[in-house]
Amino acid sequence: STKMDLLHSNGVLIIQHLQRDYRAYQDFLNFMSHVGDPRNIFSVYFPLWFQLNQVVGTKMIWVAVIGDWFNLIFKWILFGHRPYWWVQETMIYPNQSSPCLEQFPITCETGPGSPSGHAMGSSCVWYVMVTAALSYTVRWKDKSAVTLHRLTWSFLWSIFWIIQISVCISRVFIATHFPHQVVLGVFAGILVAEAFEHTPAIQTASLRMYIKTNLFLFIFALGFYLSLKLLDIDLLWSVPKAKKWCANPDWINIDTTPFAGLVRNLGALFGLGLGINSEMFITSCKGKNSCKISFRILCIAASLATLQLYNFVKIPTHTEYLFYILSFCKSAAMPLTVVALVPYCVHLLMRTTEKKLN
């Protein structure tokens, strides 16, 4: 439509301005784009928070998975273009003189662009972290503590918005998103996170509930995709556009396709359910060692170190279905490692050490 073309063309002007005048901040902006990557939720934020507060850690995974699932459905509904291919195909510029937008190794996302998954994932998980941190200070009653809570409130929410704005600018700078797409992503993420502030049932969910949720999310997404395909609407329309207009074919990654994200998130949710309902979790994280600071610090350090090793596990991409299966298994292994395997090993180590000292 004319209004959408106008919105896109104004967005292109903003991207050109950023790429021209903020060149000195390129490394920082690329870094912030990585900070907003939803995959960091499982490999960095979750291992830290789960050992500090299991309620917050569990909520974080649920928010990330459900938020990313909604992001996928919204992207399929909204059919949002990405700047790096839109400027090549639009007919609104005179004499076919389309603007030149620079691309980067992280530019060539293959899914639709609206709303931004990075902005949505970043806002929802940081919203959970900020509200969790403030929940400790809100209980303080004396006058000086109330003042400290207000200062903490202002500081943490300032940090929240600085990070979200930085992530949004970084995604626009690399020509992956238009400005309206990142703004929509931020507020959609906040809405999802706020919804889970009033959903305590996830803390007591059984393994059966995790499996049922996984099946519902998968069947709904697949059914939605197949239903529209029967109507001759291709929801993977963005993939050939990305391959056609990406400046470097090596920058195209199957890991950015819509179904890759869905499989990754379903694996993470299944792994969390498997871990929380395992005997290893009950023995270690519900035992006497779980209250010790040394136990939690060891679990955090061991979890972060172990999850970094998963980065060296490269999943073959030559067969798409095999990639999805292995991606599901790898994603399930990460929360299972954090929730059950690492704490159980640390528990055994501490018990052995205590026996030797006695």
Side-chain angles (χ1 to χ4, degrees), residues 19 34 76 103 112 120 179 244 273 284 286 302 307 329 332-333 348:
Q19 292 187 344
H34 285 295
W76 278 349
Q103 296 182 24
M120 192 168 174
K244 181 179 180 180
S284 55
K286 296 295 184 182
L307 292 185
C329 295
L348 293 179

Side-chain angles (χ1 to χ4, degrees), residues 167-303:
V167 169
C168 289
I169 291 174
S170 72
R171 300 302 288 170
V172 175
F173 174 83
I174 63 174
T176 296
H177 288 291
F178 291 103
H180 70 277
Q181 295 174 342
V182 292
V183 171
L184 180 60
V186 168
F187 287 103
I190 291 173
L191 286 175
V192 171
E194 179 60 29
F196 275 88
E197 291 292 319
H198 312 286
T199 315
I202 60 173
Q203 301 298 335
T204 55
S206 63
L207 180 57
R208 178 176 291 182
M209 179 58 68
Y210 277 91
I211 293 173
K212 284 182 178 179
T213 303
N214 256 13
L215 287 173
F216 170 78
L217 296 178
F218 178 73
I219 291 171
F220 185 96
L222 184 62
F224 187 73
Y225 169 77
L226 293 175
S227 298
L228 290 183
K229 195 169 185 179
L230 289 174
L231 297 174
D232 213 21
I233 300 174
D234 182 15
L235 293 180
L236 300 181
W237 60 273
S238 60
V239 177
K241 288 183 181 291
K243 291 179 178 178
K244 181 179 180 180
W245 296 115
C246 184
N248 187 337
D250 293 336
W251 295 347
I252 296 289
N253 192 339
I254 191 175
D255 202 28
T256 66
T257 58
F259 278 112
L262 175 66
V263 169
R264 184 171 58 245
N265 288 310
L266 294 183
L269 189 62
F270 176 71
L272 175 66
L274 202 60
I276 283 181
N277 291 281
S278 68
E279 285 297 325
M280 286 189 290
F281 170 76
I282 295 169
T283 301
S284 55
C285 294
K286 296 295 184 182
K288 62 177 183 178
N289 283 331
S290 62
C291 297
K292 297 178 180 178
I293 298 297
S294 57
F295 173 80
R296 296 187 179 188
I297 292 174
L298 282 172
C299 285
I300 290 172
S303 295

Side-chain angles (χ1 to χ4, degrees), residues 5-19:
D5 284 340
L6 181 61
L7 190 63
H8 285 160
S9 62
N10 288 334
V12 168
L13 291 176
I14 294 173
I15 295 169
Q16 287 181 306
H17 167 69
L18 290 173
Q19 292 187 344

Side-chain angles (χ1 to χ4, degrees), residues 143-164:
K143 209 168 190 179
S144 61
V146 170
T147 303
L148 182 60
H149 168 71
R150 289 173 179 170
L151 289 172
T152 306
W153 187 95
S154 300
F155 174 74
L156 289 179
W157 283 117
S158 296
I159 293 294
F160 172 85
W161 284 111
I162 287 171
I163 290 174
Q164 303 321 311

Side-chain angles (χ1 to χ4, degrees), residues 61-74 120-121 124 188-189 192-193 196 265:
I61 291 290
W62 276 88
V63 166
V65 170
I66 301 300
D68 210 46
W69 182 83
F70 272 116
N71 182 262
L72 172 65
I73 300 301
F74 289 153
M120 192 168 174
C124 73
V192 171
F196 275 88
N265 288 310

